[in-house]
Amino acid sequence: MSHATLTPKHGSLRGATLPKWFAWAVAAGSVVLGLGISTAAGLDSDIQWALIAAVLFVAGSYGISAKVEGRRQAKDRTATSLVWVAFLMALVPLISLIWETVKRGVKVLDGYFLSHSMGVVADTEPGGGIYHAIVGTLEQVGLATLISVPIGVLTAIYLVEYGRGRLAKAVTFFVDVMTGIPSIVAGLFVLSVWILMLDMGPSGFAGSMALSILMIPVVVRSTEEMLKLVPNELREASLALGVPKWRTILKVVLPTSIGGITTGVMLAIARITGETAPVLLLVWVTNFINTNPFQDPQASLPMYIYLQYQNSGGSGAAYDRAWAAALTLIAFIMILNLVARGIARWKAPKTGR
């Protein structure tokens, strides 16, 4: 028997396959049908027709695929459709938030707004800015980061590289407990110890201590997971060359996981930057510039946004300043994330020859 008779013809074992543009066609048809059903039923909400279109998209993908390609491929397309629907649903609040903040925040956001404080400007009057709040936020978050990152990273190194027995289990347990601590509880703790017992008075540093309590468990958890992803072969190869363990951690383990560690730190910073309760309890507020975080009340962006909106009544100059400050806070977090990505790429181990 010749070789040709044993070899099946090309494509003979494959069933019918829908074209690549099938998903786009079903999505377009679902949107049209969703709009039509919503209009016919008198539904005014955009969310309602979008949900109808999503259901039609998933059902249509499964029905047509099952008829043409079979049930197995239809189930795969259904799972893919559900992933896309979930992804788009997650994008809706994000895009809506960014659009609304940008639309309302650009009204007064300019160089003057960023370089001046409220000073003697009343909340109901136009003018003023957020310079004092930017200075306070940068100093408070910076001090909290200086406190939290060394403690969090070293704790994670202990848990992954050295931790054994009851002590490591106890540290892991308390880190998990601290992860769920509300910000108001951290603020009350520092208030009772730092201000009431030691009589130190409100300051940016007091707020930084409360923020560091919230930041430490996030840094520990993210760093711990990144260190666990480092292959043990790298550690063993370094130790086999006679390199001490502490130097292996410093020169091999940490550089390998620096990208993930940096991302975790930035997530922790983003977690604390928008906190208001500790600032309200420990830092208080002021309309004037205070560059000394260790003495007297200090402004911050979250408190500035809250107070301006509270005093605006939903309109007026204070209302516009609140949205502009919110846009500035979002931009600040975005810049931090971009910087973190740049540092992670710069410090990541080089690959290739």
Side-chain angles (χ1 to χ4, degrees):
M1 187 176 294
S2 65
H3 176 72
T5 58
L6 294 176
T7 304
K9 294 182 179 180
H10 177 70
S12 62
L13 297 181
R14 296 183 60 186
T17 303
L18 291 168
K20 293 182 179 180
W21 48 263
F22 165 73
W24 295 102
V26 174
S30 300
V31 170
V32 173
L33 287 176
L35 287 172
I37 294 173
S38 178
T39 303
L43 303 177
D44 298 328
S45 174
D46 293 337
I47 298 177
Q48 292 173 325
W49 77 258
L51 291 175
I52 293 173
V55 172
L56 292 174
F57 174 66
V58 175
S61 298
Y62 177 80
I64 298 174
S65 179
K67 188 174 183 61
V68 177
E69 299 176 316
R71 290 194 173 187
R72 183 174 181 179
Q73 185 64 22
K75 291 178 181 179
D76 179 75
R77 287 189 179 274
T78 301
T80 304
S81 301
L82 290 173
V83 169
W84 275 104
V85 170
F87 168 70
L88 293 175
M89 290 178 65
L91 282 182
V92 168
L94 176 62
I95 296 176
S96 176
L97 171 65
I98 294 176
W99 170 254
E100 193 71 17
T101 307
V102 171
K103 182 178 70 173
R104 296 179 182 272
V106 295
K107 293 181 180 179
V108 296
L109 184 60
D110 53 21
Y112 180 88
F113 181 74
L114 296 174
S115 59
H116 287 74
S117 66
M118 290 301 293
V120 294
V121 178
D123 291 332
T124 56
E125 297 176 353
I130 58 172
Y131 179 75
H132 60 307
I134 293 176
V135 171
T137 296
L138 290 176
E139 292 184 349
Q140 293 159 28
V141 172
L143 287 172
T145 303
L146 290 177
I147 296 171
S148 305
V149 172
I151 297 175
V153 172
L154 292 175
T155 302
I157 290 174
Y158 166 76
L159 292 175
V160 176
E161 304 293 338
Y162 297 98
R164 301 291 185 274
R166 295 182 178 179
L167 179 59
K169 292 181 180 179
V171 172
T172 301
F173 172 76
F174 284 113
V175 168
D176 292 337
V177 172
M178 289 179 63
T179 304
I181 290 180
S183 59
I184 188 68
V185 175
L188 288 173
F189 171 73
V190 177
L191 175 69
S192 62
V193 176
W194 184 257
I195 295 181
L196 298 182
M197 293 178 59
L198 300 178
D199 195 24
M200 299 301 292
S203 63
F205 180 68
S208 298
M209 289 190 291
L211 295 177
S212 65
I213 295 175
L214 303 173
M215 187 174 175
I216 286 174
V218 180
V219 176
V220 173
R221 271 282 163 254
S222 59
T223 304
E224 185 180 2
E225 294 303 320
M226 291 302 104
L227 294 177
K228 288 179 179 178
L229 293 177
V230 178
N232 284 328
E233 289 78 4
L234 295 178
R235 297 180 176 89
E236 294 170 356
S238 178
L239 295 173
L241 294 174
V243 180
K245 188 169 185 177
W246 68 269
R247 195 170 182 84
T248 298
I249 296 172
L250 185 63
K251 295 295 185 180
V252 177
V253 178
L254 288 179
T256 304
S257 57
I258 189 64
I261 293 174
T262 305
T263 302
V265 170
M266 299 314 301
L267 289 175
I269 293 176
R271 157 85 164 84
I272 67 171
T273 302
E275 290 292 347
T276 308
V279 176
L280 178 62
L281 291 173
L282 304 169
V283 185
W284 294 2
V285 292
T286 177
N287 287 334
F288 298 92
I289 300 171
N290 178 15
T291 58
N292 184 4
F294 299 99
Q295 186 178 3
D296 298 329
Q298 195 176 42
S300 67
L301 282 173
M303 277 301 302
Y304 181 91
I305 295 169
Y306 169 73
L307 292 175
Q308 290 295 312
Y309 183 80
Q310 184 185 46
N311 298 328
S312 68
S315 61
Y319 185 75
D320 294 335
R321 287 194 295 263
W323 279 106
L327 179 58
T328 304
L329 187 59
I330 293 175
F332 174 67
I333 299 299
M334 291 179 63
I335 292 172
L336 284 178
N337 279 275
L338 291 175
V339 171
R341 288 179 179 272
I343 295 175
R345 182 170 297 182
W346 174 44
K347 289 293 186 179
K350 301 297 185 291
T351 59
R353 296 183 180 180

